[in-house]
Structure formats: C-alpha cells, structure tokens
Amino acid sequence: MGIENQIKRISAKGMVGLYDYDINFQNGDSKLKAIFSENGCGKTNLLKLIHYVTSGNIEKLQKVPLMPFRELCIKTSMGTILFEKNENRSVILSIRDNNEEELLSEELRAGDLNSASDVELSDEIQDRYIRMSFNIHEYTGKSVLLGTNRLNDTDARTRYRVRMLRKHEAREETDRDYEVSGNIIYSVLDDLNYSLVRNAQIASTTSRGSRGVYSKIVKNVLNDRAGLDQRGRDVRNEIIKKIKHINNIKKLVDKYNLIDFKEFRSIEKEIEAPRSTVREFKSLYSILIPYFDSLEEKIQDVLPAASLIESFINAINTMFRDKVITYNIQGAYGSRNGFTVQSIVAHKNEESLKEIDPADLSSGEKHLIFLLAKVIISATRGDTLLIIDEPEISLGMMWQRLFVKYVRKCAAESGLQIIMATHSPLILDKYEEIDVSMSKREIRSHM
C-alpha cells in the first residue's frame, strides 16, 4: 500500500559483552527479519533492549542502563537514534536528523529506576524520560514484544473477567477460570475482533461513500442526468449491470456481515422482477446510481478488514486438523460474537461443529492463534515493530514450515515490521539468507 517503513536498520554491539548484531531492513525483505544464534549469545537481551527503547513506556526506558550491551543504533526514515553505554553504566542517548543535526542528547543513569520512587526526584526524572520517550517515538513508532512466556501472563485472568463483567457475561467462578492460557486466548480473540470491527466501522463511517449521496441525487435530478434520452430498457440494463458489479465485489464483506446489505438485496429483488413497462427506470436511475456508487466505495473501504479476517481464519483452519475457527460479527443463536473455536464432531457419518473453550486447545494451537492474532492486531492499530521471541515454541514441524507464510499474509497490507528470534531451521528455511542476522562474536586481543 506504499507505506514507508520507519525503521531502516538496527545495529547492536557488545550484547552480553561479546556479540554484535546487524538487522538491515534496507536489503531483502523490508518487513520481516530473523535473528539466529546459539544459546547465550544475547539474542533475548537484544529483543528486550529494542523493545525497551521503542515501547513508548518510560518505566521500560529506565531499564536500558541495566541491559548488557555497549551500543545500540537505530536508523529510521527520519534520522538516527544512538545509545552508548559508559564505563559507569550510564547510557548517552543522542538523536540526529537526516542532516546529522543533533536534536537531543540525554543521559540515562542506572540509579534513575530506583530514584524514581523518591518524591523529591521523581517529577524531574519522569519529565526527562517522558521527553526522551516522546522524541524516540517520533522516530521509531511503537513496538510490541511477544516473549517466550506469552501464554503465562498472570494478569490475563483478571483482565478477562473485568471484560466479561463489563459485557454482563461473567461466568460463575470455576477451576477453569484459573486456566490462564485459556483466558489469554479468549482475550486475544476479543482484542482481534474489536480491532477489526473498529477499523471496519471507522472505514465505513468515514468512507467517501458515506458523504454526498443525497447531494448527488439532487444534482442528477435537477440537471436531468437520469439518462432520459435513453430507452427505459437500456437504463434498466445499466442498473442491473451495476448491481452485478457490486455483488461481485461484496462477497467477502458480506460473508462476515461487515456491512448490512438488506436494503441492497431488497432493491435488487425489485429491479429484477418482471414488469410490463420499464419507463420508471429512467427516474430511478438518478437515485440508484449515487446510492450504488456510495455502497461500492464503502465496500472498498471495509474490504481490508474482511481480508484480514479471511487471512486469519484460512491460516488457522489450514493448520488445525480436527478444530476450526469461525467468525460471526453478530454472535447469532446465543454464541459469542467475533471469533469462536469449534471442534469437528463426527456422528453417524455426519460432521458437526461444537464450540469449545480455548483452555481445551493444545499448547501449539494456543500459541498459533495467539501469534497470528497479535500480528493482525499490531498491523491494524498502527504499531511499527512487532518482536517475537522463539515463535516455534510448541509448534510442530509442519506448522513451523507454514508459519512465516501466514505471518506475511496477515501483515501484508500494513506498515508493520517484524523481527523474529528463532532456533528453528524450519522457520529460517522460509527466509532469504540476507534476511537472517547472525550473532558475531567480537574478537579482542589479549595483552
């Protein structure tokens, strides 16, 4: 879609004192990069460091001096951000624009994290870190880190129950409520549904097709643009041609009920009904064509959300064996609205679907849903960078082979950039060699 990637290159030196990394988004795939190294080479520390710097969270930024690194340089479309650690463990932050003019120079001290609790110092420290965080965000945007403990978030149960209480759907307290990973899947599917529906609603509301319909009708009628010089039958054929075109482009949006087409279907039925005369179509043309143009534009604006729903469902259902994930924006027949996990049940040579609790999914199934949902959530809300540590956790060989393919599809129409740190040769097989950053051990002379 022509979205410029904000981050051009990330270079790190002296991770855990010994290892360098270079992640270059300017060569090869500009949106997806992998990091590979053996255990103990600072890979996870690098991911945390990048996230702490670009998260937009001042508490995380205060942790930067505690990280084991010597230098971190982030080149962006706007300039360069450089963090250099001194021998006293403080870190010098400098931000330069593309003309090499220094815009900001600040010191991050290891003691700032503890001093922030001191009432006399906290305001000064907080203001300084807010200023640093704001300036970094202007250059890098916001990052999200999905660590290896992503299904063990102890706050997930609380967040999920608060959400259910707000929706008046709180369940009775049972042992299942303590299944944290199941609640995380519930939560991430709700977040995904909210993000997609919100984007679709915003697109539909602000669509070009939502403005000027009636003014176009008035203009057509007053300026006699109804095609009155044509025969009624020709006008009717033009209207039918327009209806067929809309039917062709609305299939995916209609499949997930992102736009209400009841009125359109009613008009279609009336237009296609046999009639003894077609003179009335000359008058209808002035009214229907602006309506159809408006609807067509609205479909085009909502189509990206429908495509993301389709990509997510196709990815999950291609890899799942005896389960599927479905989507219903309205939650018909008492089911949950949004995404629902269902099990395929065989009975008397027939198959049916039964809704299941995400807590009953296998670890691999939970990880797969979580990761792909997070990719779409980050893509739709405008995150700049998604960082994933060891995406292969609990994924079988086949799923590892397919994973990168579906990540690319879920992020395709966005400006989201992704970094994955992995030990899996199966996942790396889907990368070009130029898109994999290997750890390089510094060679130091011993005197």
Side-chain angles (χ1 to χ4, degrees):
M1 295 180 63
I3 300 174
E4 184 179 13
N5 297 313
Q6 282 189 251
I7 296 177
K8 302 297 183 183
R9 192 168 194 164
I10 301 175
S11 303
K13 295 181 179 179
M15 294 306 306
V16 296
L18 293 172
Y19 299 95
D20 298 345
Y21 290 88
D22 184 27
I23 307 169
N24 191 352
F25 284 99
Q26 297 175 101
N27 295 330
D29 191 332
S30 64
K31 297 178 71 173
L32 185 63
K33 297 295 180 181
I35 300 174
F36 177 79
S37 68
E38 297 298 330
N39 293 323
C41 296
K43 180 172 72 271
T44 296
N45 280 306
L46 173 61
L47 299 187
K48 288 181 179 179
L49 177 61
I50 295 171
H51 176 59
Y52 288 169
V53 166
T54 59
S55 66
N57 184 300
I58 61 173
E59 286 80 13
K60 291 179 179 178
L61 187 59
Q62 288 171 350
K63 296 179 181 179
V64 169
L66 306 179
M67 298 299 293
F69 78 106
R70 191 172 71 254
E71 179 181 299
L72 177 70
C73 181
I74 304 177
K75 293 185 180 295
T76 77
S77 58
M78 295 176 62
T80 302
I81 300 171
L82 180 65
F83 291 83
E84 295 178 290
K85 182 173 283 192
N86 295 329
E87 291 183 1
N88 63 0
R89 293 181 67 195
S90 69
V91 175
I92 302 300
L93 162 64
S94 61
I95 300 179
R96 297 179 180 271
D97 63 18
N98 287 324
N99 296 320
E100 292 299 316
E101 180 181 350
E102 187 171 81
L103 304 179
L104 181 71
S105 179
E106 291 279 3
E107 184 179 15
L108 295 80
R109 298 180 292 267
D112 289 342
L113 194 61
N114 295 328
S115 300
S117 61
D118 189 320
V119 176
E120 295 181 2
L121 298 175
S122 61
D123 287 346
E124 176 191 347
I125 292 174
Q126 295 295 320
D127 289 345
R128 187 157 52 87
Y129 276 89
I130 288 172
R131 183 170 62 253
M132 285 188 283
S133 182
F134 175 80
N135 281 275
I136 294 170
H137 181 269
E138 287 290 296
Y139 274 60
T140 67
K142 179 185 175 183
S143 73
V144 173
L145 171 63
L146 306 180
T148 55
N149 65 335
R150 47 189 169 260
L151 293 186
N152 294 299
D153 185 349
T154 55
D155 293 329
R157 175 176 173 270
T158 300
R159 292 200 305 270
Y160 177 71
R161 288 193 60 78
V162 167
R163 180 171 300 181
M164 292 299 100
L165 285 169
R166 287 175 179 170
K167 295 169 67 175
H168 306 291
E169 295 178 7
R171 300 173 295 171
E172 293 183 2
E173 192 77 13
T174 65
D175 290 341
R176 178 53 52 83
D177 289 324
Y178 290 94
E179 174 55 71
V180 174
S181 63
N183 288 343
I184 287 177
I185 300 305
Y186 264 128
S187 181
V188 77
L189 289 176
D190 283 344
D191 287 344
L192 177 59
N193 180 47
Y194 173 79
S195 180
L196 291 171
V197 170
R198 180 175 178 272
N199 273 24
Q201 288 173 339
I202 290 174
S204 179
T205 301
T206 60
S207 168
R208 297 162 295 164
S210 66
R211 299 191 296 269
V213 178
Y214 291 105
S215 64
K216 289 179 182 178
I217 292 173
V218 171
K219 188 179 293 185
N220 280 357
V221 172
L222 292 179
N223 292 306
D224 194 24
R225 293 181 181 176
L228 295 179
D229 57 332
Q230 301 181 46
R231 293 181 301 170
R233 191 172 303 279
D234 293 336
V235 176
R236 179 177 183 269
N237 289 338
E238 285 296 316
I239 293 174
I240 291 176
K241 181 179 178 181
K242 191 73 171 178
I243 288 173
K244 288 181 178 179
H245 173 67
I246 290 175
N247 275 322
N248 286 333
I249 65 172
K250 77 176 181 65
K251 291 177 181 177
L252 199 57
V253 173
D254 195 16
K255 179 178 180 180
Y256 298 114
N257 299 315
L258 298 183
I259 294 177
D260 189 345
F261 288 102
K262 289 180 182 177
E263 187 173 48
F264 172 78
R265 293 190 185 98
S266 179
I267 293 172
E268 178 183 19
K269 184 177 179 180
E270 292 294 330
I271 296 297
E272 294 184 347
R275 299 181 183 279
S276 58
T277 176
V278 291
R279 289 177 299 178
E280 296 84 357
F281 286 97
K282 292 183 177 181
S283 300
L284 284 174
Y285 188 89
S286 296
I287 300 171
L288 290 180
I289 293 303
Y291 166 73
F292 289 149
D293 287 344
S294 169
L295 185 59
E296 181 180 346
E297 290 169 356
K298 188 175 291 188
I299 291 168
Q300 296 294 351
D301 288 330
V302 175
L303 192 57
S307 298
L308 284 173
I309 294 172
E310 183 85 344
S311 295
F312 179 72
I313 288 177
N314 284 346
I316 298 297
N317 291 347
T318 297
M319 290 191 269
F320 277 16
R321 298 186 64 180
D322 57 354
K323 302 178 185 73
V324 297
I325 194 163
T326 59
Y327 183 82
N328 190 326
I329 194 173
Q330 297 173 343
Y333 307 111
S335 63
R336 297 175 71 251
N337 65 324
F339 294 93
T340 303
V341 182
Q342 296 180 304
S343 177
I344 300 174
V345 180
H347 180 68
K348 294 182 179 180
N349 298 323
E350 293 184 358
E351 290 185 348
S352 60
L353 297 178
K354 179 182 178 182
E355 183 176 348
I356 61 173
D357 192 312
D360 293 327
L361 294 171
S362 71
S363 175
E365 290 167 337
K366 291 173 186 174
H367 276 276
L368 185 63
I369 288 176
F370 181 88
L371 290 174
L372 293 181
K374 283 292 189 178
V375 170
I376 295 178
I377 290 169
S378 282
T380 53
R381 71 183 174 195
D383 294 338
T384 300
L385 183 65
L386 180 64
I387 306 166
I388 307 176
D389 195 5
E390 298 185 24
E392 67 270 18
I393 291 176
S394 294
L395 302 186
M397 289 189 295
M398 185 187 74
W399 288 10
Q400 289 183 39
R401 291 182 185 279
L402 294 172
F403 183 72
V404 171
K405 169 186 174 182
Y406 287 115
V407 166
R408 284 189 167 118
K409 283 189 175 182
C410 290
E413 299 300 322
S414 72
L416 181 67
Q417 295 172 281
I418 300 173
I419 297 174
M420 296 184 192
T422 180
H423 295 289
S424 170
L426 297 177
I427 285 182
L428 290 173
D429 185 55
K430 297 301 178 182
Y431 283 88
E432 298 294 332
E433 183 176 343
I434 197 171
D435 293 318
V436 181
S437 176
M438 310 284 287
S439 62
K440 295 181 180 179
R441 183 162 182 170
E442 295 181 352
I443 300 176
R444 299 181 179 180
S445 60
H446 296 279
M447 303 294 292

